[in-house]
Amino acid sequence: MKVGFIGGGTDSAIGRAHFSAINIDRKYSLDTGVFSIDSLANRGSGEFYGVSKERVYDDIESFLASECNQLDAVIVLTPTPLHFEHINQILDAQLPVISEKALCANSNDAAALADRVAREKRFLSVTFTYTGYPMVREIKRMVGDGILGELLACQVEMPQESFIRATASGGKPVPQEWRQLDYEIPSVTLDLGSHVVNLLEFITGDQIARVSALAHHSGEVSTLIDNVLAIGEMKRGTAISLQWNKVSLGKRNGLACTIHGSKASISWEQENPEYLRFSGKDGAVQILDRSHSMITIASQGRYQRFKVGHPAGYIEAFANLYQDIATDLQSFKSGETLNNPYTHSATNSADGLRVLEALHESAATRSWVEIRR
Ligand SMILES: NC(=O)c1ccc[n+]([C@@H]2O[C@H](COP(=O)([O-])OP(=O)(O)OC[C@H]3O[C@@H](n4cnc5c(N)ncnc54)[C@H](O)[C@@H]3O)[C@@H](O)[C@H]2O)c1
């Protein structure tokens, strides 16, 4: 797939991760882009990514005007509050879109994009990275196959430290400007809550029905909400507890989930992603790696870039998701219906943003809120 980036310069947080991931399985070629609003960084990124000088553009308009007939998709890696405008521009140019999460800064914009994509039969896929981890997909399989039994309780958390940890020189942390503002949905929730909600619904195949939440400010970055906790229920009745924050010293990226079922419990941690902790009714606690006989997804050939004992991680998870998106793009181009269980549509993303809005409505009103879907 011939692709271009909007955003994702080497001056950004996430650009190089996408560049690395799309190159692992040789399914994409990054041919062009407008990588950064800083012209030096824009040119430097083009050079670093191996893009020819004449295909690095200063603005999105000239990029789309010149490249619209030469690309299979555009990858959107700009700050979340700009996604709505940028994705509409790409859709105007008749090109498929792959976008970083959160799809938009609020559910109305995301729903408008989802409506447009459905109405015009267009392609839009959202990169929720963590669902590319083979062991996350293994948990989804185990839940689907009933190995855990009826789901009784699920915990998903994503504690980080970036709004409280001192800089190397002992100063206060200073995130990117766009992360220093709270939008309809607070920045911490767009960044982390979007993953937590997506991961829970991805694994369980169920949807959150109602929530009761708390949202606090306690870190070093202006007055931003930086600490969110919620309890709730899934449509099928499972009790859930969710939390994400940027004020947990010592937690670089503590994304973790535990699913407690009537037959077994299972836990996974993002910083140790090749292992599952499985506890059955007999009292045994087992650590499963991708060579274990109970494992049937993470042991598949597509995930064995090298054999077990040689850890894979975040970039490979991204690459796994990009493989699925490439398959979807191919199906889309051939006019086939998309039914990939591993990819994320605009509709699904808009739904997730509705959950996040409900959660903050609950925190503001100190009441339970039903999710309107
Ligand atoms: N999936 C993940 O794990 C993950 C992690 C980090 C960020 N993200 C998402 O990636 C997106 C970008 O986040 P980031 O942390 O890299 O942001 P960032 O602020 O570090 O980088 C944004 C980049 O976009 C460029 N840019 C801004 N406006 C532009 C424009 N009009 N045209 C072209 N380029 C423009 C900037 O110059 C910069 O290179 C966000 O949506 C964020 O939520 C996802």
Side-chain angles (χ1 to χ4, degrees):
M1 297 294 163
K2 295 180 170 57
V3 294
F5 277 5
I6 295 186
T10 49
D11 59 337
S12 72
I14 204 66
R16 285 182 61 179
H18 281 262
F19 177 72
S20 307
I22 61 174
N23 281 300
I24 287 183
D25 297 308
R26 317 297 295 158
K27 293 197 185 294
Y28 297 85
S29 139
L30 177 60
D31 291 351
T32 177
V34 42
F35 302 104
S36 175
I37 42 170
D38 177 302
S39 67
L40 215 59
N42 189 30
R43 300 282 146 193
S45 303
E47 201 175 319
F48 182 81
Y49 293 150
V51 172
S52 61
K53 277 195 179 113
E54 63 280 8
R55 295 184 75 183
V56 177
Y57 296 87
D58 292 329
D59 57 73
I60 297 174
E61 291 73 18
S62 53
F63 161 71
L64 290 172
S66 305
E67 297 287 346
C68 61
N69 294 322
Q70 310 190 61
L71 296 178
D72 293 302
V74 176
I75 300 180
V76 177
L77 304 173
T78 47
T80 303
L82 302 177
H83 288 182
F84 180 68
E85 182 191 339
H86 293 166
I87 291 171
N88 270 313
Q89 285 178 280
I90 302 165
L91 292 173
D92 289 344
Q94 305 300 316
L95 282 164
V97 184
I98 299 168
S99 173
E100 254 295 359
K101 51 51 68 180
L103 178 57
C104 296
N106 63 69
S107 70
N108 281 343
D109 285 354
L113 285 180
D115 284 350
R116 180 173 180 187
V117 165
R119 197 173 54 247
E120 298 178 11
K121 299 189 171 38
R122 308 295 295 283
F123 184 93
L124 200 175
S125 196
V126 183
T127 56
F128 284 95
T129 334
Y130 300 105
T131 62
Y133 276 109
M135 282 305 190
V136 166
R137 295 173 174 200
E138 192 74 49
I139 303 176
K140 179 180 175 68
R141 196 270 307 168
M142 286 183 175
V143 169
D145 285 357
I147 289 169
L148 306 187
E150 185 193 344
L151 299 191
L152 307 177
C154 299
Q155 294 150 10
V156 186
E157 60 180 38
M158 195 167 186
Q160 296 186 353
E161 62 184 358
S162 54
F163 283 7
I164 193 165
R165 170 127 179 224
T167 61
S169 54
K172 288 187 178 184
V174 184
Q176 298 96 323
E177 270 176 34
W178 67 273
R179 284 196 168 94
Q180 295 178 35
L181 296 172
D182 275 343
Y183 305 87
E184 289 96 326
I185 299 173
S187 161
V188 70
T189 295
L190 289 173
D191 270 354
L192 309 185
S194 55
H195 282 303
V196 167
V197 164
N198 174 267
L199 193 68
L200 175 71
E201 294 192 346
F202 178 81
I203 283 173
T204 59
D206 197 358
Q207 291 186 317
I208 299 173
R210 57 194 63 82
V211 286
S212 173
L214 287 174
H216 286 180
H217 160 75
S218 29
E220 303 276 8
V221 182
S222 66
T223 55
L224 293 187
I225 300 285
D226 49 27
N227 190 4
V228 181
L229 280 152
I231 57 169
E233 279 174 342
M234 306 298 283
K235 284 187 175 167
R236 292 186 206 127
T238 311
I240 57 170
S241 84
L242 311 174
Q243 62 162 303
W244 53 89
N245 69 64
K246 295 198 181 187
V247 294
S248 289
L249 285 170
K251 293 285 186 184
R252 314 297 195 235
N253 184 19
L255 176 65
C257 66
T258 300
I259 313 293
H260 296 290
S262 56
K263 294 185 187 164
S265 293
I266 201 147
S267 305
W268 175 82
E269 292 174 4
Q270 198 274 151
E271 290 187 1
N272 196 16
E274 292 243 53
Y275 300 95
L276 294 180
R277 188 174 193 274
F278 183 90
S279 313
K281 275 199 154 182
D282 59 359
V285 178
Q286 290 177 283
I287 304 297
L288 313 180
D289 72 4
R290 58 184 149 113
S291 72
H292 193 279
S293 58
M294 279 174 67
I295 298 295
T296 65
I297 299 291
S299 54
Q300 288 174 356
R302 63 173 290 200
Y303 302 122
Q304 315 308 309
R305 295 187 184 86
F306 198 44
K307 58 194 171 187
V308 67
H310 300 82
Y314 182 78
I315 303 287
E316 286 92 342
F318 239 135
N320 297 335
L321 185 57
Y322 264 115
Q323 278 191 19
D324 292 307
I325 294 172
T327 306
D328 278 2
L329 257 174
Q330 197 56 61
S331 304
F332 173 76
K333 284 157 86 75
S334 318
E336 293 161 25
T337 312
L338 306 185
N339 58 2
N340 191 329
Y342 293 143
T343 49
H344 309 276
S345 66
T347 305
N348 170 259
S349 301
D351 257 6
L353 288 163
R354 269 188 213 104
V355 175
L356 298 177
E357 283 167 354
L359 214 133
H360 282 283
E361 182 188 333
S362 162
T365 57
R366 301 252 157 182
S367 60
W368 279 87
V369 175
E370 298 285 321
I371 315 298
R372 295 173 287 274
R373 299 204 187 241

